[in-house]
Amino acid sequence: MAAPLDVLVVGAGPTGLALAAQLRAYGASFRIVDRSLDRVHESRALAIQPRTLEALAPFGVTGELIGRGNPAMQVRMHLPRRVVRLPLFDIGLTDTAYPFLLFLSQAETESVLSEHLLDHGVDVERGTELVGLERAGSSVACRLRHGNGTEEAVAATYVVGCDGAHSTVRDRAGIGFEGYAYPQTFLLADLEVDGLERGAVHAYLTGAGVLFFFPLGSPATWRMLTLRPPDVPDTQVNLGLLQQIADRYADDRPVLRDPVWMTDFRLHNRGAVRYRSGPFFLAGDAAHIHSPAGAQGMNTGIQDALNLGWKLALVSRGRAPEEWLETYEAERAPVGRSVLRFTDRAFTIGTSSNPVIRFARTRLAPRLAPSVLRASGPRRLVFRTVSELGIRYRHSPATTAGPRPPGRGPRAGDRLPDLPRGLQARTIGPGWHLLLCGPPALWRDEQLVSLLKGRDDLVDVHRLGDESPWTAVTHGLVRPDGYLGYVARGTRLEGLHTYLDRWLPVQHR
């Protein structure tokens, strides 16, 4: 009988594809299956956040994503008798190479990730459904049904559910999915629109409702998003209905035409009560679903995958202890809960019929927004929240601040900033990256030989000198996902040695 796979990935949306890319990069044995016969061709998720662009850079796909997308920098807020021009992400941040929100349809994102896997010999097994799942000793017995009706028994050490809101893996693992549905119905369309300035987001906030147009480019120039008005019958979505709503909400009467895709849907705010149950893991929509406010969903899912993939691979290969798998929920579940809270508040403010909230949304906010957003402070705060650059794991069990943590600069658990510019590109290769900052003569080779013996193939050393994110003499260890696991001032490496002995021990080689 064949040896069990290290990982069976169920679901080949952006989350599953990102997970597969990382499992491949770290040498795990895996298969990725999806019951759909083809990837999505509608836009669905429509934006990629800066942190996601950073996280995908190690696979060499970020440039292609940017080339296909639209890095929007402006919002046009349409008010009665005037249009307010607002900057989006123009605050001149220096710690990321991607200080913008990239508008790109999910179809294109999946296309780029799928092509990456294909180029590296990974077959995404479409038309293959997971129909059985149960523990069998030290592995999981999985039953797959192929498109021709035949079934196949597969053993895997771990199974990751990237299979969406109606996750089979979550159901079979017995993990609860708690939350609620919103009463409103959304209308969505990818189409052409005459009369809109290109390259900007257009927002119409009225007492009657809200209407948004987002620049896409493909599969159509615009994504339209609105709520079905309460007095509009619950009928099938068509171009006439969408034009009727646009005429009601938009004084400038944009003309809609040539729809590529139209749909309606109800939104939920739900989260898995656990992200792991034994050999079963959840990521993406299988773990959390919420409103599209802030373009958080797909991005959070991809970052779930890239937090988990290297851990599964290194543990499966015997290069890291099982404890690493416990850190996945400890690190990502707080992020998921935060996204659920953030999107729920934004959705409530944007859709509530409460007179006070509606007055604030339609009268106060449009008048205050230009002056508030003229200052860089509020924009910086909004940007770091929405862009997901502010995510950190300072309270993770796998995060350790050394005995003398630096007073300035990134701390243990923080994302490594691209500061000075190009630092992230220097630490983009697979594995761990040890940053030695300060005069090179301070770092003796014999210290490093002892530290890295037996794990030198997993840890690259970078002598940064004064080109450092810290002002003092400091050493920091960057994890495979770009976060700092350990940071300390000075040249004494005993604390780092202790950290490595626990989290990357030599005996697991």
Side-chain angles (χ1 to χ4, degrees):
M1 183 175 178
L5 297 168
D6 292 334
V7 184
L8 176 66
V9 181
V10 183
T15 299
L17 295 171
L19 178 61
Q22 195 170 67
L23 291 171
R24 186 213 63 81
Y26 283 85
S29 65
F30 70 95
R31 289 169 65 178
I32 175 171
V33 301
D34 194 297
R35 64 184 179 184
S36 298
L37 294 174
D38 196 4
R39 63 176 178 82
V40 304
H41 292 277
E42 306 86 16
S43 62
R44 299 193 184 181
L46 80 161
I48 305 180
Q49 299 290 353
R51 179 58 195 145
T52 304
L53 292 171
E54 291 181 348
L56 291 173
F59 310 121
V61 300
T62 296
E64 179 66 19
L65 292 168
I66 293 172
R68 297 192 189 192
N70 176 14
M73 303 294 287
Q74 295 286 324
V75 174
R76 302 291 180 260
M77 185 175 291
H78 295 258
L79 306 174
R81 295 178 296 282
R82 67 186 180 121
V83 177
V84 177
R85 296 170 177 262
L86 299 175
L88 193 57
F89 290 162
D90 68 334
I91 55 179
L93 285 183
T94 58
D95 72 341
T96 180
Y98 315 106
F100 50 80
L101 181 64
L102 181 70
F103 284 96
L104 182 68
S105 77
Q106 180 177 328
E108 291 296 313
T109 302
E110 289 192 19
S111 174
V112 170
L113 292 174
S114 296
E115 290 168 11
H116 168 79
L117 292 174
L118 184 62
D119 289 344
H120 289 84
V122 177
D123 177 29
V124 178
E125 301 177 48
R126 299 196 179 276
T128 302
E129 182 178 5
L130 177 71
V131 294
L133 197 66
E134 61 182 34
R135 300 189 194 193
S138 60
S139 63
V140 180
C142 312
R143 196 167 75 255
L144 304 178
R145 180 178 297 147
H146 299 283
N148 61 7
T150 62
E151 294 192 359
E152 176 189 7
V154 175
T157 304
Y158 303 105
V159 178
V160 184
C162 306
D163 48 345
H166 304 289
S167 170
T168 299
V169 175
R170 189 185 64 234
D171 180 63
R172 297 300 177 96
I175 298 175
F177 200 44
E178 298 180 348
Y180 47 86
Y182 295 106
Q184 297 92 341
T185 300
F186 269 87
L187 305 179
L188 202 63
D190 296 340
L191 73 178
E192 302 302 318
V193 183
D194 296 328
L196 289 182
E197 176 189 351
R198 295 201 173 200
V201 178
H202 294 265
Y204 298 82
L205 306 179
T206 73
V210 295
L211 171 65
F212 295 94
F213 291 100
F214 300 97
L216 271 183
S218 176
T221 304
W222 296 99
R223 152 71 63 84
M224 175 180 175
L225 176 66
T226 190
L227 289 170
R228 185 188 294 273
D231 59 340
V232 171
D234 189 9
T235 56
Q236 185 175 3
V237 183
N238 56 58
L239 186 60
L241 171 62
L242 298 178
Q243 185 66 65
Q244 174 187 342
I245 294 173
D247 290 344
R248 178 186 296 191
Y249 295 166
D251 290 342
D252 50 355
R253 298 294 179 92
V255 177
L256 315 183
R257 59 180 174 83
D258 302 330
V260 174
W261 178 57
M262 298 179 289
T263 190
D264 59 355
F265 61 95
R266 294 278 299 278
L267 291 176
H268 294 252
N269 186 285
R270 301 184 188 277
V273 297
R274 299 189 306 279
Y275 281 29
R276 180 191 186 187
S277 177
F280 308 117
F281 294 82
L282 303 177
D285 285 357
H288 41 73
I289 56 172
H290 41 78
S291 90
Q296 301 292 290
M298 180 184 72
N299 293 275
T300 304
I302 289 175
Q303 291 177 52
D304 287 344
L306 299 183
N307 180 285
L308 178 61
W310 61 273
K311 297 174 182 178
L312 287 170
L314 293 182
V315 170
S316 297
R317 291 172 49 202
R319 300 304 307 274
E322 169 79 16
E323 286 178 279
W324 269 114
L325 302 184
E326 292 300 321
T327 70
Y328 172 62
E329 180 166 347
E331 292 174 353
R332 294 306 297 174
V335 175
R337 290 192 292 268
S338 176
V339 169
L340 289 175
R341 290 192 299 269
F342 167 75
T343 56
D344 181 59
R345 289 168 184 164
F347 180 84
T348 300
I349 292 171
T351 63
S352 176
S353 59
N354 179 284
V356 175
I357 296 178
R358 187 167 62 181
F359 177 80
R361 180 180 71 229
T362 61
R363 300 293 182 87
L364 292 182
R367 286 168 171 76
L368 295 177
S371 57
V372 170
L373 293 179
R374 195 172 295 122
S376 62
R379 292 210 309 279
R380 189 181 301 272
L381 177 61
V382 171
F383 176 82
R384 298 204 75 84
T385 300
V386 174
S387 68
E388 304 191 346
L389 293 172
I391 291 172
R392 56 197 186 194
Y393 306 133
R394 290 182 180 176
H395 301 293
S396 167
T399 294
T400 300
R404 298 178 62 219
R408 299 180 62 183
R411 296 164 53 184
D414 292 355
R415 143 192 171 272
L416 179 71
D418 193 37
L419 189 68
R421 180 58 61 84
L423 179 60
Q424 288 183 351
R426 294 178 63 175
T427 59
I428 208 171
W432 301 70
H433 298 270
L434 176 57
L435 309 182
L436 305 177
C437 307
L442 294 176
W443 307 100
R444 304 193 314 274
D445 288 341
E446 55 268 28
Q447 279 183 300
L448 301 176
V449 169
S450 172
L451 182 77
L452 301 179
K453 184 177 181 181
R455 47 191 165 227
D456 54 305
D457 62 323
L458 287 178
V459 182
D460 287 335
V461 177
H462 306 267
R463 299 174 185 265
L464 300 182
D466 294 330
E467 295 295 313
S468 162
W470 299 284
T471 56
V473 174
T474 301
H475 56 283
L477 186 66
V478 185
R479 307 182 340 175
D481 56 358
Y483 288 84
L484 287 155
Y486 181 92
V487 178
R489 274 191 302 167
T491 59
R492 297 181 64 89
L493 302 180
E494 292 87 350
L496 177 60
H497 211 307
T498 300
Y499 180 91
L500 286 171
D501 283 345
R502 177 180 179 187
W503 293 105
L504 205 60
V506 173
Q507 63 265 30
H508 285 270
R509 183 167 185 173

